[in-house]
Each structure stands twice: as structure tokens, then as C-alpha cells.
Amino acid sequence: MTFDRSLKIAPSILASDFANFGAECAAVESQGADWIHVDVMDGHFVPAITFGAQTCAAIRPHIKTVMDVHLMIAPVDAYLQGFADAGADIITAHVEAGPHIHRTLQNIRSLGCKAGVALNPGTPASAVADLIDDVDLICVMTVNPGFGGQKFIDMTAKVRTLREMIGDRPVHIEIDGGVDPTTAPLVRAAGADVLVAGSAVFRGGSVANPAPYGENIRAIRAAAE
């Protein structure tokens, strides 16, 4: 993965057809997705349970772009190896998920993956001030994590603060939650370059009829740019 700040749309398969994960990944990629975002939830750190490393391994052959794995789980360290083995390009852990986030990020990089850190809406940008040189991505949650389809929480001030903190370092700012053509321009203007979108991408389409996926991706991209 070479770094650039161009806008990237990362559909979240949380909003896709669970019986068709591999085909859904291929479908959104064929329609212009830049990354595939995989939301892993444990029913403990967040309310819902989704899927684990075996699912990531199963869909990896169907993903040609970047597999962006977002771990909404606690504890997290014991599971990093499994997701790295499953083919994750990026593994993101929550700063709130344990007392040793620095060690977690070191572990992720030692496994050959890009390291991401996620911030819940109630967590300030200052929580990652001492981690900037240890991450490749900062994920700003614009909903409270745990399930899809929630209303966007305005975190543009936090994004602007992070953008200043990052400076010219090769660190992505990712937005996760409530991204659509209305909210995308706000976070893009504030400095985000990766936009995770679930229902806003998958709405109206299917594996058999993927054209709406492309229309949705293009609408978000056009609004943000």
C-alpha cells in the first residue's frame, strides 16, 4: 500500500448480504470501491456480534483492493495474529479497548499489517497525541460503535484537530458512521481521506444488480470532492 491522501470510499460489508459476502466484496469493488471495510464486533466491547477471523480469511480471495479490518473487540491483543493470518492489510483497534494501546499497535505492525487506532465519539483527539508516530490510520467514529445505520454525530472539530496533529506524516484519517452524500463533504473538508459507508453504499443494490452500488459510491465521492 502506497500512501496518498486522495479520497477513498470503503464500503462496510456490515450492510451487505451476509449470505453472499465474497460476491458482495467483488461487486462493490467492480463498482468503484477503493477499500473493503470489515466490522468485527464481539458483543462485549459493543452490543452486536458480527464475524471473526475465519470470515475475513474466507472473503480475502474475493478482495482485490485493501481489506480494512476494524476490531470493535476487547480484549484485542490475543486476536491480532488471527486477523493478520486472514490477510488483513490494515488492523484497527480502539484506544478504549484496553490499557496498552501502544503495545497493541506495535503488535499489529510486527505482524506486517498497517496499524489503525479508532476513537469513539466521546474520546478526544488528545487520546492519540502520543501515538501519531505509531499509527498508519486514525478512525474517527461518527456514531457510537455497535451496529449500522445510525445517525451521523458531527466530529468535524475532532477531525480538524487530528489533521493538524498529523501534519505531513503518512497517516490516514478515516470516518466511520453515518457517511452519505450530505455528511461526506463535511468530514472531507475537515481533513478526512477514507470514508466508510455501509447502508449508503449497499442501499438499493444486490449481487445480481450491483449498478446501484456504483451510483451510491459515485454520489458520495462527488459530494465529498
Side-chain angles (χ1 to χ4, degrees):
M1 289 174 58
T2 54
F3 180 85
D4 70 81
R5 290 197 200 284
S6 66
L7 182 66
K8 288 161 280 291
I9 309 295
S12 166
I13 62 167
L14 187 64
S16 73
D17 176 1
F18 275 35
N20 261 326
F21 273 149
E24 289 276 46
C25 292
V28 286
E29 283 190 338
S30 74
Q31 293 296 320
D34 300 291
W35 294 5
I36 300 294
H37 188 80
V38 184
D39 285 308
V40 177
M41 304 183 190
D42 64 357
H44 170 73
F45 180 66
V46 293
I49 297 173
T50 55
F51 32 74
Q54 287 176 307
T55 301
C56 290
I59 63 174
R60 178 73 254 196
H62 301 271
I63 297 172
K64 295 187 175 70
T65 61
V66 170
M67 185 158 80
D68 175 31
V69 176
H70 178 191
L71 299 181
M72 287 170 268
I73 67 175
V76 68
D77 288 20
Y79 301 96
L80 298 175
Q81 181 77 56
F83 287 100
D85 290 346
D89 295 295
I90 304 165
I91 298 176
T92 296
H94 272 257
V95 73
E96 308 88 359
H100 306 296
I101 186 63
H102 186 273
R103 177 189 296 159
T104 300
L105 296 168
Q106 285 183 315
N107 286 348
I108 293 169
R109 281 186 166 176
S110 75
L111 293 167
C113 302
K114 299 288 187 185
V117 64
L119 297 169
N120 283 337
T123 303
S126 58
V128 297
D130 294 327
L131 301 171
I132 296 288
D133 291 315
D134 300 290
V135 297
D136 303 289
L137 177 146
I138 300 172
C139 175
V140 177
M141 295 302 298
T142 41
V143 296
N144 286 295
F147 48 96
Q150 297 184 73
K151 189 177 187 310
F152 179 82
I153 301 168
D154 188 352
M155 289 285 139
T156 48
K158 185 190 292 186
V159 174
R160 283 194 296 270
T161 300
L162 289 167
R163 189 70 204 81
E164 288 176 17
M165 286 164 59
I166 288 165
D168 60 1
R169 295 174 180 88
V171 178
H172 296 291
I173 298 179
E174 178 175 77
I175 303 299
D176 188 355
V179 170
D180 61 25
T182 307
T183 57
L186 306 176
V187 291
R188 178 58 170 164
D193 62 296
V194 183
L195 305 183
V196 175
S199 44
V201 166
F202 286 97
R203 187 181 293 117
S206 66
V207 167
N209 176 33
Y213 297 166
E215 293 164 14
N216 295 338
I217 289 168
R218 287 189 293 276
I220 295 167
R221 198 185 301 279
E225 289 181 334

